[in-house]
Amino acid sequence: MIDLKSLSLQEMTDLLKSIGQPAFRGKQVFTWLHKGARSFDEMSNLPKVLRDRLAAECILHVPQVARKQESKLDGTIKYLWELADGNCIESVLMRYHHGNTVCISSQVGCRMGCTFCASTIAGKVRDLTPAEMLDQVLFTQLDSGLEISNIVLMGIGEPMDNLDNVLKFLELVNHPDGMNIGMRHISLSTCGVIPGIKRLSELGLQLTLSVSLHAPDDETRTRIMPVNRAYHVDDLFAACHEYFRKTGRRISFEYSMIDGVNDNDWQADLMAKRLKGMPGHINLIPLNDVVESPFKPSKRISAFQKRLESHGLTATVRRTLGSDIDASCGQLRRKAMEEKGETCR
Ligand code: SAH
């Protein structure tokens, strides 16, 4: 079976031509799929024989809303989607002044093992397809009735661990005949997988790269993020500097503030040293308390921010959204796993 929605417009056109259809059919099918068609029968401008053939030979899945929670505080909506194979993933719609932003997952689970993160506790189940990433944006928009203008790849999973599919997804969601979301409205967040950063530097996409740094020294970073054993801080910063040189794009560094672990002044000073020569932006994130994690939120966020600023760095504190609906970092999927066990993996 062909996963039609994961194909680029060119691939779709070639496929339809190969079964004797005129080239314009590719664009017709692409447009239907990217508008959220739920069946081939809906595609009313296609001949019935073609619709039947596509239905027999291609997959057309749409994710089901397994759970939906809306924050009373700020309108954040959290979706738990059930995929065709019964796996569940999360997306979160956040309503910022600059536009509605959806945070999407790139994998079912995660194998990176960051010690403070709920998404990785049960490991990785599988990668998401380009279509499954696109569907999160598309069906969040359709279900909520709110137009999505921004995407952050900051949900469950490590995008660099599924980079081929992520790049294909970016091509799809960016396409003028599809959702047409500009690269400058898309952020991709990585825990620091250097080969992925290098590959992105070569491509020179206009998206925003976020690096989940969380500590500027190897000792602390290895303690909280096992990925640091493979990719050390020195090498990570070298890759970031190279990324900036090649793309001219400012990197955003994520820094979740953990009490007594990464919130010391000397670590702010070290950040400044490491960032020399690159206009980075530091996003300080209040740690979300994950029951399974030994770490506690820092009480020094504004002191740490001031220390960074004293070095001329720009640092902002991320606003906490959806705190009444478990809207952070794999917590809804985890809850559903505990409660539903078998049915929602
Ligand atoms: N794997 C990617 C994207 C997913 S995580 C990455 O690591 O960047 C999205 C962001 O949330 C990362 O910066 C991650 O480190 C952070 N995060 C995870 N758990 C958190 C928690 N309990 N509190 C605050 N931030 C957390």
Side-chain angles (χ1 to χ4, degrees):
M1 297 285 267
I2 301 163
D3 177 13
L4 209 53
K5 214 189 290 181
S6 285
L7 301 185
S8 66
L9 176 56
Q10 188 59 52
E11 289 167 334
M12 219 175 275
T13 304
D14 291 345
L15 178 82
L16 283 150
K17 281 201 317 212
S18 77
I19 58 169
Q21 292 292 325
F24 67 83
R25 294 272 181 240
K27 187 163 163 180
Q28 285 178 327
V29 176
F30 189 89
T31 308
W32 279 111
L33 291 172
H34 288 243
K35 274 194 186 141
R38 291 171 179 271
S39 74
F40 290 106
D41 266 339
E42 276 178 40
M43 304 183 181
S44 50
N45 54 359
L46 304 187
K48 173 91 170 92
V49 277
L50 177 59
R51 280 186 264 155
D52 290 345
R53 177 152 186 192
L54 292 176
E57 293 176 15
C58 304
I59 304 169
L60 173 47
H61 288 307
V62 298
Q64 302 301 313
V65 180
R67 277 190 198 199
K68 179 179 172 183
Q69 290 177 300
E70 189 158 357
S71 166
K72 290 186 184 67
L73 304 173
D74 50 47
T76 298
I77 306 176
K78 179 142 186 170
Y79 288 96
L80 186 74
W81 303 105
E82 185 168 344
L83 305 175
D85 63 356
N87 276 305
C88 285
I89 50 166
E90 293 178 4
S91 322
V92 185
L93 170 62
M94 294 162 292
R95 305 175 67 174
Y96 291 116
H97 297 301
H98 61 267
N100 296 318
T101 301
V102 65
C103 172
I104 65 162
S105 299
S106 55
Q107 296 177 315
V108 179
C110 182
R111 63 189 183 112
M112 294 297 139
C114 299
T115 49
F116 46 83
C117 177
S119 305
T120 194
I121 295 173
K124 180 180 110 169
V125 180
R126 68 170 174 86
D127 289 331
L128 292 183
T129 63
E132 286 168 332
M133 288 181 253
L134 178 71
D135 278 344
Q136 294 175 66
V137 186
L138 190 52
F139 288 95
T140 295
Q141 175 164 291
L142 290 174
D143 183 88
S144 66
L146 297 166
E147 194 174 329
I148 308 288
S149 53
N150 298 70
I151 301 170
V152 294
L153 276 148
M154 284 191 188
I156 295 176
E158 168 52 45
M160 300 297 198
D161 191 34
N162 183 20
L163 192 53
D164 288 337
N165 287 351
V166 165
L167 291 175
K168 194 74 180 284
F169 154 71
L170 292 173
E171 182 187 341
L172 295 178
V173 82
N174 180 233
H175 201 282
D177 294 318
M179 295 197 76
N180 197 17
I181 295 182
M183 281 293 171
R184 283 177 180 259
H185 294 253
I186 302 177
S187 293
L188 182 154
S189 180
T190 176
C191 64
V193 179
I194 293 177
I197 297 175
K198 291 202 161 146
R199 207 172 142 198
L200 270 192
S201 326
E202 299 300 331
L203 293 174
L205 300 176
Q206 292 299 294
L207 51 73
T208 300
L209 177 66
S210 291
V211 173
S212 298
L213 188 68
H214 305 318
D217 59 294
D218 278 320
E219 197 188 328
T220 313
R221 197 162 191 271
T222 299
R223 186 177 156 207
I224 55 177
M225 300 177 74
V227 68
N228 198 68
R229 282 191 215 119
Y231 305 116
H232 299 157
V233 176
D234 268 347
D235 300 329
L236 179 56
F237 271 96
C240 291
H241 280 277
E242 187 192 334
Y243 182 90
F244 173 68
R245 268 198 309 277
K246 288 205 164 137
T247 65
R249 303 283 296 160
R250 185 177 82 154
I251 296 178
S252 172
F253 291 91
E254 316 291 309
Y255 202 106
S256 299
M257 300 290 295
I258 310 175
D259 186 36
V261 175
N262 63 0
D263 60 353
N264 303 296
D265 280 344
W266 67 264
Q267 284 159 320
D269 300 342
L270 185 55
M271 273 302 281
K273 234 176 168 172
R274 297 221 181 252
L275 279 169
K276 234 180 201 124
M278 177 175 49
H281 171 263
I282 300 151
N283 209 229
L284 301 173
I285 311 172
L287 186 77
N288 289 300
D289 224 341
V290 173
V291 188
E292 291 90 342
S293 151
F295 300 118
K296 295 289 152 230
S298 168
K299 298 171 204 80
R300 298 197 72 247
I301 298 183
S302 59
F304 195 80
Q305 180 185 22
K306 285 199 184 91
R307 187 82 177 194
L308 289 170
E309 285 169 352
S310 76
H311 291 289
L313 297 173
T314 51
T316 48
V317 181
R318 184 180 290 171
R319 218 159 36 104
T320 306
L321 293 177
S323 53
D324 54 333
I325 55 163
D326 298 315
S328 43
C329 311
Q331 299 195 12
L332 183 61
R333 175 169 176 266
R334 209 154 160 70
K335 244 191 184 164
M337 279 163 73
E338 278 163 12
E339 287 168 20
K340 288 180 135 186
E342 295 297 293
T343 53
C344 204
R345 280 170 282 166

